[in-house]
Tab-separated table of all heavy atoms in Angstrom:
chain	number	residue	atom	x	y	z
A	38	ARG	N	158.096	-3.633	15.157
A	38	ARG	CA	158.418	-5.051	15.014
A	38	ARG	C	157.754	-5.884	16.093
A	38	ARG	O	157.318	-5.370	17.121
A	38	ARG	CB	159.925	-5.271	15.028
A	38	ARG	CG	160.600	-5.015	16.359
A	38	ARG	CD	162.118	-5.185	16.218
A	38	ARG	NE	162.820	-4.979	17.482
A	38	ARG	CZ	164.139	-5.014	17.615
A	38	ARG	NH1	164.917	-5.260	16.544
A	38	ARG	NH2	164.693	-4.813	18.791
A	39	GLN	N	157.691	-7.183	15.814
A	39	GLN	CA	157.080	-8.125	16.745
A	39	GLN	C	157.850	-9.428	16.692
A	39	GLN	O	157.798	-10.136	15.671
A	39	GLN	CB	155.613	-8.341	16.398
A	39	GLN	CG	154.863	-9.185	17.398
A	39	GLN	CD	153.360	-9.152	17.157
A	39	GLN	OE1	152.890	-9.132	16.019
A	39	GLN	NE2	152.585	-9.150	18.235
A	40	ALA	N	158.571	-9.723	17.756
A	40	ALA	CA	159.285	-10.989	17.851
A	40	ALA	C	158.278	-12.136	17.950
A	40	ALA	O	157.141	-11.932	18.412
A	40	ALA	CB	160.211	-10.975	19.062
A	41	PRO	N	158.666	-13.332	17.540
A	41	PRO	CA	157.724	-14.459	17.559
A	41	PRO	C	157.102	-14.675	18.935
A	41	PRO	O	157.815	-14.804	19.941
A	41	PRO	CB	158.606	-15.644	17.154
A	41	PRO	CG	159.710	-15.037	16.355
A	41	PRO	CD	159.976	-13.703	16.972
A	42	GLY	N	155.790	-14.657	18.995
A	42	GLY	CA	155.080	-14.880	20.240
A	42	GLY	C	155.139	-13.750	21.242
A	42	GLY	O	154.705	-13.905	22.386
A	43	LYS	N	155.678	-12.613	20.840
A	43	LYS	CA	155.846	-11.487	21.760
A	43	LYS	C	154.981	-10.297	21.364
A	43	LYS	O	154.234	-10.346	20.381
A	43	LYS	CB	157.327	-11.046	21.779
A	43	LYS	CG	158.293	-12.151	22.180
A	43	LYS	CD	158.053	-12.639	23.585
A	43	LYS	CE	159.097	-13.673	23.980
A	43	LYS	NZ	158.851	-14.212	25.348
A	44	GLY	N	155.103	-9.225	22.132
A	44	GLY	CA	154.318	-8.028	21.883
A	44	GLY	C	154.927	-7.125	20.829
A	44	GLY	O	155.961	-7.423	20.235
A	45	LEU	N	154.260	-6.001	20.609
A	45	LEU	CA	154.705	-5.023	19.621
A	45	LEU	C	155.794	-4.138	20.199
A	45	LEU	O	155.725	-3.729	21.364
A	45	LEU	CB	153.518	-4.159	19.178
A	45	LEU	CG	152.357	-4.909	18.536
A	45	LEU	CD1	151.155	-3.990	18.379
A	45	LEU	CD2	152.775	-5.489	17.193
A	46	GLU	N	156.782	-3.808	19.378
A	46	GLU	CA	157.870	-2.918	19.786
A	46	GLU	C	158.066	-1.848	18.703
A	46	GLU	O	158.348	-2.177	17.560
A	46	GLU	CB	159.174	-3.684	20.006
A	46	GLU	CG	160.325	-2.783	20.433
A	46	GLU	CD	161.674	-3.492	20.494
A	46	GLU	OE1	161.798	-4.620	19.961
A	46	GLU	OE2	162.605	-2.930	21.069
A	47	TRP	N	157.920	-0.595	19.078
A	47	TRP	CA	158.199	0.506	18.159
A	47	TRP	C	159.715	0.556	17.901
A	47	TRP	O	160.514	0.418	18.835
A	47	TRP	CB	157.713	1.818	18.768
A	47	TRP	CG	158.018	3.002	17.912
A	47	TRP	CD1	157.284	3.473	16.873
A	47	TRP	CD2	159.158	3.846	18.021
A	47	TRP	NE1	157.905	4.568	16.330
A	47	TRP	CE2	159.051	4.816	17.015
A	47	TRP	CE3	160.263	3.873	18.877
A	47	TRP	CZ2	159.997	5.815	16.838
A	47	TRP	CZ3	161.210	4.858	18.705
A	47	TRP	CH2	161.077	5.819	17.693
A	48	VAL	N	160.108	0.731	16.626
A	48	VAL	CA	161.520	0.679	16.252
A	48	VAL	C	162.065	2.053	15.848
A	48	VAL	O	163.109	2.488	16.341
A	48	VAL	CB	161.724	-0.318	15.092
A	48	VAL	CG1	163.155	-0.264	14.565
A	48	VAL	CG2	161.361	-1.732	15.536
A	49	SER	N	161.373	2.729	14.931
A	49	SER	CA	161.941	3.948	14.371
A	49	SER	C	160.852	4.737	13.659
A	49	SER	O	159.817	4.176	13.278
A	49	SER	CB	163.050	3.586	13.379
A	49	SER	OG	163.678	4.744	12.867
A	50	ALA	N	161.097	6.030	13.475
A	50	ALA	CA	160.171	6.894	12.745
A	50	ALA	C	160.956	7.945	11.973
A	50	ALA	O	162.101	8.270	12.323
A	50	ALA	CB	159.168	7.555	13.692
A	51	ILE	N	160.305	8.488	10.932
A	51	ILE	CA	160.932	9.510	10.109
A	51	ILE	C	159.865	10.496	9.674
A	51	ILE	O	158.719	10.111	9.377
A	51	ILE	CB	161.644	8.865	8.896
A	51	ILE	CG1	162.441	9.895	8.101
A	51	ILE	CG2	160.651	8.125	8.004
A	51	ILE	CD1	163.386	9.261	7.081
A	52	SER	N	160.220	11.760	9.633
A	52	SER	CA	159.276	12.785	9.207
A	52	SER	C	159.032	12.710	7.703
A	52	SER	O	159.752	12.015	6.984
A	52	SER	CB	159.818	14.171	9.574
A	52	SER	OG	161.042	14.409	8.882
A	53	GLY	N	158.044	13.445	7.245
A	53	GLY	CA	157.684	13.409	5.831
A	53	GLY	C	158.813	13.853	4.907
A	53	GLY	O	158.990	13.291	3.824
A	54	SER	N	159.559	14.817	5.328
A	54	SER	CA	160.684	15.319	4.524
A	54	SER	C	161.926	14.450	4.661
A	54	SER	O	162.854	14.550	3.857
A	54	SER	CB	161.025	16.742	4.947
A	54	SER	OG	161.554	16.750	6.269
A	55	GLY	N	161.943	13.632	5.722
A	55	GLY	CA	163.139	12.843	6.008
A	55	GLY	C	164.130	13.572	6.893
A	55	GLY	O	165.168	13.003	7.251
A	56	GLY	N	163.823	14.799	7.273
A	56	GLY	CA	164.771	15.604	8.021
A	56	GLY	C	164.881	15.251	9.491
A	56	GLY	O	165.865	15.613	10.145
A	57	SER	N	163.877	14.548	10.010
A	57	SER	CA	163.901	14.148	11.426
A	57	SER	C	163.730	12.646	11.530
A	57	SER	O	162.846	12.082	10.880
A	57	SER	CB	162.784	14.837	12.202
A	57	SER	OG	162.960	16.237	12.196
A	58	THR	N	164.560	12.027	12.340
A	58	THR	CA	164.476	10.586	12.550
A	58	THR	C	164.534	10.273	14.039
A	58	THR	O	165.119	11.042	14.831
A	58	THR	CB	165.606	9.836	11.838
A	58	THR	OG1	166.876	10.343	12.292
A	58	THR	CG2	165.521	10.009	10.329
A	59	TYR	N	163.944	9.151	14.411
A	59	TYR	CA	163.851	8.746	15.805
A	59	TYR	C	164.061	7.239	15.887
A	59	TYR	O	163.643	6.511	14.982
A	59	TYR	CB	162.476	9.107	16.374
A	59	TYR	CG	162.077	10.531	16.140
A	59	TYR	CD1	161.393	10.898	14.980
A	59	TYR	CD2	162.385	11.533	17.055
A	59	TYR	CE1	161.035	12.217	14.737
A	59	TYR	CE2	162.029	12.851	16.828
A	59	TYR	CZ	161.364	13.179	15.662
A	59	TYR	OH	161.014	14.485	15.437
A	60	TYR	N	164.662	6.793	16.998
A	60	TYR	CA	164.967	5.371	17.148
A	60	TYR	C	164.708	4.890	18.574
A	60	TYR	O	164.874	5.638	19.545
A	60	TYR	CB	166.445	5.115	16.830
A	60	TYR	CG	166.827	5.449	15.416
A	60	TYR	CD1	167.340	6.696	15.071
A	60	TYR	CD2	166.640	4.508	14.391
A	60	TYR	CE1	167.669	7.009	13.778
A	60	TYR	CE2	166.972	4.812	13.072
A	60	TYR	CZ	167.478	6.061	12.780
A	60	TYR	OH	167.799	6.369	11.483
A	61	ALA	N	164.355	3.608	18.676
A	61	ALA	CA	164.330	2.948	19.973
A	61	ALA	C	165.770	2.731	20.430
A	61	ALA	O	166.671	2.540	19.606
A	61	ALA	CB	163.613	1.602	19.858
A	62	ASP	N	165.973	2.739	21.734
A	62	ASP	CA	167.323	2.535	22.268
A	62	ASP	C	167.906	1.202	21.806
A	62	ASP	O	169.113	1.075	21.605
A	62	ASP	CB	167.295	2.581	23.794
A	62	ASP	CG	167.064	3.984	24.333
A	62	ASP	OD1	167.209	4.959	23.559
A	62	ASP	OD2	166.715	4.105	25.518
A	63	SER	N	167.045	0.207	21.632
A	63	SER	CA	167.499	-1.140	21.290
A	63	SER	C	168.126	-1.230	19.906
A	63	SER	O	168.839	-2.193	19.605
A	63	SER	CB	166.336	-2.127	21.387
A	63	SER	OG	165.285	-1.729	20.535
A	64	VAL	N	167.868	-0.237	19.046
A	64	VAL	CA	168.396	-0.290	17.674
A	64	VAL	C	169.270	0.917	17.327
A	64	VAL	O	169.876	0.953	16.248
A	64	VAL	CB	167.265	-0.420	16.634
A	64	VAL	CG1	166.368	-1.603	16.971
A	64	VAL	CG2	166.456	0.866	16.513
A	65	LYS	N	169.329	1.889	18.216
A	65	LYS	CA	170.077	3.107	17.943
A	65	LYS	C	171.542	2.789	17.669
A	65	LYS	O	172.166	2.002	18.378
A	65	LYS	CB	169.954	4.062	19.142
A	65	LYS	CG	170.269	5.502	18.854
A	65	LYS	CD	169.957	6.378	20.056
A	65	LYS	CE	168.491	6.401	20.393
A	65	LYS	NZ	168.178	7.290	21.542
A	66	GLY	N	172.065	3.365	16.594
A	66	GLY	CA	173.458	3.116	16.210
A	66	GLY	C	173.634	1.920	15.297
A	66	GLY	O	174.711	1.743	14.719
A	67	ARG	N	172.600	1.086	15.172
A	67	ARG	CA	172.678	-0.092	14.298
A	67	ARG	C	171.722	0.001	13.116
A	67	ARG	O	172.016	-0.503	12.036
A	67	ARG	CB	172.364	-1.370	15.088
A	67	ARG	CG	173.300	-1.616	16.257
A	67	ARG	CD	173.040	-2.992	16.888
A	67	ARG	NE	171.685	-3.126	17.411
A	67	ARG	CZ	170.815	-4.059	17.025
A	67	ARG	NH1	171.146	-4.949	16.099
A	67	ARG	NH2	169.607	-4.118	17.563
A	68	PHE	N	170.558	0.611	13.344
A	68	PHE	CA	169.540	0.711	12.297
A	68	PHE	C	169.470	2.160	11.804
A	68	PHE	O	169.654	3.106	12.579
A	68	PHE	CB	168.165	0.330	12.834
A	68	PHE	CG	167.970	-1.138	13.137
A	68	PHE	CD1	169.029	-2.028	13.176
A	68	PHE	CD2	166.698	-1.630	13.400
A	68	PHE	CE1	168.838	-3.373	13.459
A	68	PHE	CE2	166.489	-2.972	13.675
A	68	PHE	CZ	167.556	-3.841	13.724
A	69	THR	N	169.150	2.308	10.518
A	69	THR	CA	168.961	3.637	9.931
A	69	THR	C	167.674	3.655	9.122
A	69	THR	O	167.515	2.833	8.206
A	69	THR	CB	170.141	4.019	9.028
A	69	THR	OG1	171.363	3.983	9.786
A	69	THR	CG2	169.947	5.423	8.457
A	70	ILE	N	166.798	4.556	9.452
A	70	ILE	CA	165.562	4.736	8.701
A	70	ILE	C	165.790	5.834	7.661
A	70	ILE	O	166.490	6.828	7.924
A	70	ILE	CB	164.386	5.089	9.635
A	70	ILE	CG1	163.053	4.987	8.903
A	70	ILE	CG2	164.578	6.450	10.293
A	70	ILE	CD1	161.828	5.102	9.819
A	71	SER	N	165.215	5.644	6.486
A	71	SER	CA	165.318	6.652	5.442
A	71	SER	C	164.127	6.523	4.508
A	71	SER	O	163.351	5.567	4.619
A	71	SER	CB	166.635	6.499	4.651
A	71	SER	OG	166.670	5.250	3.996
A	72	ARG	N	163.995	7.461	3.598
A	72	ARG	CA	162.892	7.423	2.649
A	72	ARG	C	163.324	8.065	1.338
A	72	ARG	O	164.187	8.943	1.318
A	72	ARG	CB	161.664	8.115	3.233
A	72	ARG	CG	161.836	9.582	3.516
A	72	ARG	CD	160.675	10.124	4.372
A	72	ARG	NE	159.386	10.013	3.681
A	72	ARG	CZ	158.208	10.007	4.319
A	72	ARG	NH1	158.153	10.111	5.631
A	72	ARG	NH2	157.093	9.916	3.628
A	73	ASP	N	162.687	7.625	0.268
A	73	ASP	CA	162.875	8.228	-1.044
A	73	ASP	C	161.492	8.676	-1.511
A	73	ASP	O	160.690	7.849	-1.957
A	73	ASP	CB	163.500	7.219	-2.007
A	73	ASP	CG	163.843	7.832	-3.357
A	73	ASP	OD1	163.228	8.859	-3.731
A	73	ASP	OD2	164.708	7.279	-4.056
A	74	ASN	N	161.211	9.946	-1.361
A	74	ASN	CA	159.871	10.446	-1.693
A	74	ASN	C	159.588	10.404	-3.186
A	74	ASN	O	158.431	10.393	-3.599
A	74	ASN	CB	159.685	11.851	-1.135
A	74	ASN	CG	159.514	11.845	0.385
A	74	ASN	OD1	159.238	10.808	0.989
A	74	ASN	ND2	159.679	13.005	1.011
A	75	SER	N	160.619	10.364	-4.002
A	75	SER	CA	160.399	10.262	-5.450
A	75	SER	C	159.960	8.854	-5.848
A	75	SER	O	159.364	8.655	-6.897
A	75	SER	CB	161.672	10.647	-6.217
A	75	SER	OG	162.693	9.683	-6.012
A	76	LYS	N	160.268	7.885	-4.982
A	76	LYS	CA	159.902	6.490	-5.248
A	76	LYS	C	158.805	5.992	-4.314
A	76	LYS	O	158.443	4.812	-4.358
A	76	LYS	CB	161.133	5.589	-5.103
A	76	LYS	CG	162.219	5.854	-6.126
A	76	LYS	CD	163.388	4.882	-5.957
A	76	LYS	CE	164.452	5.121	-7.020
A	76	LYS	NZ	165.607	4.196	-6.869
A	77	ASN	N	158.290	6.877	-3.455
A	77	ASN	CA	157.250	6.491	-2.492
A	77	ASN	C	157.669	5.257	-1.688
A	77	ASN	O	156.873	4.317	-1.489
A	77	ASN	CB	155.920	6.217	-3.202
A	77	ASN	CG	155.276	7.470	-3.750
A	77	ASN	OD1	155.713	8.588	-3.459
A	77	ASN	ND2	154.257	7.306	-4.567
A	78	THR	N	158.902	5.265	-1.223
A	78	THR	CA	159.431	4.092	-0.547
A	78	THR	C	160.138	4.464	0.752
A	78	THR	O	160.897	5.432	0.799
A	78	THR	CB	160.393	3.321	-1.468
A	78	THR	OG1	159.697	2.944	-2.660
A	78	THR	CG2	160.915	2.060	-0.791
A	79	LEU	N	159.869	3.673	1.762
A	79	LEU	CA	160.489	3.793	3.081
A	79	LEU	C	161.499	2.655	3.228
A	79	LEU	O	161.267	1.540	2.725
A	79	LEU	CB	159.414	3.677	4.165
A	79	LEU	CG	159.854	3.648	5.615
A	79	LEU	CD1	160.335	5.035	6.045
A	79	LEU	CD2	158.693	3.178	6.505
A	80	TYR	N	162.583	2.935	3.925
A	80	TYR	CA	163.626	1.925	4.110
A	80	TYR	C	163.995	1.778	5.585
A	80	TYR	O	163.816	2.699	6.385
A	80	TYR	CB	164.896	2.305	3.342
A	80	TYR	CG	164.701	2.489	1.863
A	80	TYR	CD1	164.591	3.760	1.298
A	80	TYR	CD2	164.612	1.392	1.015
A	80	TYR	CE1	164.405	3.935	-0.055
A	80	TYR	CE2	164.433	1.556	-0.353
A	80	TYR	CZ	164.325	2.828	-0.883
A	80	TYR	OH	164.136	2.993	-2.231
A	81	LEU	N	164.541	0.592	5.898
A	81	LEU	CA	165.171	0.392	7.193
A	81	LEU	C	166.449	-0.411	6.945
A	81	LEU	O	166.378	-1.598	6.587
A	81	LEU	CB	164.257	-0.348	8.169
A	81	LEU	CG	164.808	-0.484	9.589
A	81	LEU	CD1	164.885	0.900	10.256
A	81	LEU	CD2	163.953	-1.429	10.439
A	82	GLN	N	167.586	0.258	7.081
A	82	GLN	CA	168.874	-0.417	6.965
A	82	GLN	C	169.243	-0.962	8.330
A	82	GLN	O	169.337	-0.200	9.302
A	82	GLN	CB	169.951	0.559	6.476
A	82	GLN	CG	171.349	-0.042	6.394
A	82	GLN	CD	171.454	-1.102	5.314
A	82	GLN	OE1	170.949	-0.939	4.208
A	82	GLN	NE2	172.129	-2.205	5.634
A	83	MET	N	169.447	-2.271	8.395
A	83	MET	CA	169.732	-2.930	9.662
A	83	MET	C	171.130	-3.537	9.613
A	83	MET	O	171.381	-4.428	8.780
A	83	MET	CB	168.681	-4.007	9.944
A	83	MET	CG	167.248	-3.472	9.914
A	83	MET	SD	166.028	-4.711	10.388
A	83	MET	CE	166.199	-5.866	9.036
A	84	ASN	N	172.013	-3.048	10.465
A	84	ASN	CA	173.377	-3.541	10.533
A	84	ASN	C	173.641	-4.190	11.883
A	84	ASN	O	172.864	-4.014	12.833
A	84	ASN	CB	174.364	-2.383	10.324
A	84	ASN	CG	174.232	-1.738	8.961
A	84	ASN	OD1	173.844	-2.380	7.985
A	84	ASN	ND2	174.572	-0.455	8.884
A	85	SER	N	174.745	-4.926	11.967
A	85	SER	CA	175.138	-5.577	13.229
A	85	SER	C	173.959	-6.308	13.857
A	85	SER	O	173.676	-6.168	15.050
A	85	SER	CB	175.702	-4.534	14.204
A	85	SER	OG	176.784	-3.842	13.641
A	86	LEU	N	173.286	-7.090	13.058
A	86	LEU	CA	172.064	-7.751	13.528
A	86	LEU	C	172.348	-8.772	14.615
A	86	LEU	O	173.377	-9.459	14.601
A	86	LEU	CB	171.339	-8.407	12.349
A	86	LEU	CG	170.551	-7.407	11.500
A	86	LEU	CD1	170.244	-7.987	10.127
A	86	LEU	CD2	169.266	-7.000	12.200
A	87	LYS	N	171.416	-8.848	15.551
A	87	LYS	CA	171.505	-9.768	16.688
A	87	LYS	C	170.352	-10.745	16.624
A	87	LYS	O	169.321	-10.460	15.987
A	87	LYS	CB	171.432	-8.983	17.998
A	87	LYS	CG	172.452	-7.866	18.120
A	87	LYS	CD	172.221	-7.078	19.396
A	87	LYS	CE	173.222	-5.932	19.526
A	87	LYS	NZ	173.005	-5.144	20.766
A	88	THR	N	170.473	-11.860	17.313
A	88	THR	CA	169.384	-12.850	17.314
A	88	THR	C	168.102	-12.227	17.851
A	88	THR	O	167.009	-12.580	17.404
A	88	THR	CB	169.757	-14.082	18.145
A	88	THR	OG1	170.136	-13.664	19.465
A	88	THR	CG2	170.937	-14.826	17.509
A	89	GLU	N	168.221	-11.283	18.766
A	89	GLU	CA	167.029	-10.655	19.342
A	89	GLU	C	166.343	-9.673	18.391
A	89	GLU	O	165.286	-9.126	18.719
A	89	GLU	CB	167.340	-9.956	20.669
A	89	GLU	CG	168.490	-8.981	20.614
A	89	GLU	CD	169.804	-9.586	21.101
A	89	GLU	OE1	170.084	-10.757	20.743
A	89	GLU	OE2	170.553	-8.886	21.807
A	90	ASP	N	166.925	-9.444	17.214
A	90	ASP	CA	166.264	-8.631	16.191
A	90	ASP	C	165.305	-9.466	15.341
A	90	ASP	O	164.597	-8.920	14.483
A	90	ASP	CB	167.296	-7.981	15.264
A	90	ASP	CG	168.172	-6.962	15.988
A	90	ASP	OD1	167.627	-6.200	16.822
A	90	ASP	OD2	169.391	-6.948	15.726
A	91	THR	N	165.277	-10.776	15.562
A	91	THR	CA	164.350	-11.649	14.843
A	91	THR	C	162.913	-11.224	15.149
A	91	THR	O	162.501	-11.170	16.315
A	91	THR	CB	164.554	-13.115	15.257
A	91	THR	OG1	165.835	-13.547	14.815
A	91	THR	CG2	163.480	-14.015	14.656
A	92	ALA	N	162.169	-10.907	14.092
A	92	ALA	CA	160.818	-10.387	14.270
A	92	ALA	C	160.147	-10.187	12.918
A	92	ALA	O	160.812	-10.193	11.875
A	92	ALA	CB	160.846	-9.046	15.007
A	93	VAL	N	158.848	-10.010	12.962
A	93	VAL	CA	158.123	-9.465	11.823
A	93	VAL	C	158.220	-7.947	11.923
A	93	VAL	O	157.956	-7.373	12.992
A	93	VAL	CB	156.654	-9.913	11.842
A	93	VAL	CG1	155.858	-9.187	10.748
A	93	VAL	CG2	156.548	-11.422	11.667
A	94	TYR	N	158.602	-7.317	10.830
A	94	TYR	CA	158.761	-5.857	10.793
A	94	TYR	C	157.603	-5.270	9.985
A	94	TYR	O	157.389	-5.638	8.823
A	94	TYR	CB	160.095	-5.476	10.183
A	94	TYR	CG	161.251	-5.710	11.135
A	94	TYR	CD1	161.697	-6.996	11.413
A	94	TYR	CD2	161.878	-4.645	11.773
A	94	TYR	CE1	162.734	-7.222	12.310
A	94	TYR	CE2	162.925	-4.852	12.665
A	94	TYR	CZ	163.340	-6.146	12.935
A	94	TYR	OH	164.373	-6.366	13.822
A	95	TYR	N	156.876	-4.358	10.629
A	95	TYR	CA	155.750	-3.689	9.997
A	95	TYR	C	156.119	-2.256	9.636
A	95	TYR	O	156.711	-1.525	10.448
A	95	TYR	CB	154.552	-3.638	10.944
A	95	TYR	CG	153.934	-4.961	11.296
A	95	TYR	CD1	154.187	-5.572	12.515
A	95	TYR	CD2	153.050	-5.588	10.407
A	95	TYR	CE1	153.599	-6.785	12.849
A	95	TYR	CE2	152.447	-6.794	10.734
A	95	TYR	CZ	152.733	-7.390	11.958
A	95	TYR	OH	152.132	-8.592	12.281
A	96	CYS	N	155.689	-1.851	8.459
A	96	CYS	CA	155.765	-0.462	8.023
A	96	CYS	C	154.433	0.191	8.375
A	96	CYS	O	153.372	-0.412	8.179
A	96	CYS	CB	156.002	-0.471	6.511
A	96	CYS	SG	155.740	1.071	5.635
Side-chain angles (χ1 to χ4, degrees):
Chain A
R38 69 184 181 183
Q39 186 169 37
K43 302 297 184 182
L45 300 170
E46 180 187 14
W47 177 85
V48 173
S49 183
I51 186 168
S52 62
S54 67
S57 297
T58 57
Y59 309 89
Y60 298 93
D62 288 345
S63 58
V64 307
K65 199 173 295 182
R67 301 187 299 122
F68 289 12
T69 302
I70 192 171
S71 63
R72 63 192 297 158
D73 185 336
N74 287 344
S75 68
K76 295 182 178 179
N77 290 350
T78 302
L79 174 72
Y80 302 101
L81 185 67
Q82 177 67 43
M83 305 185 294
N84 298 331
S85 303
L86 282 161
K87 306 175 181 180
T88 55
E89 53 263 42
D90 294 319
T91 293
V93 172
Y94 285 73
Y95 294 102
C96 165

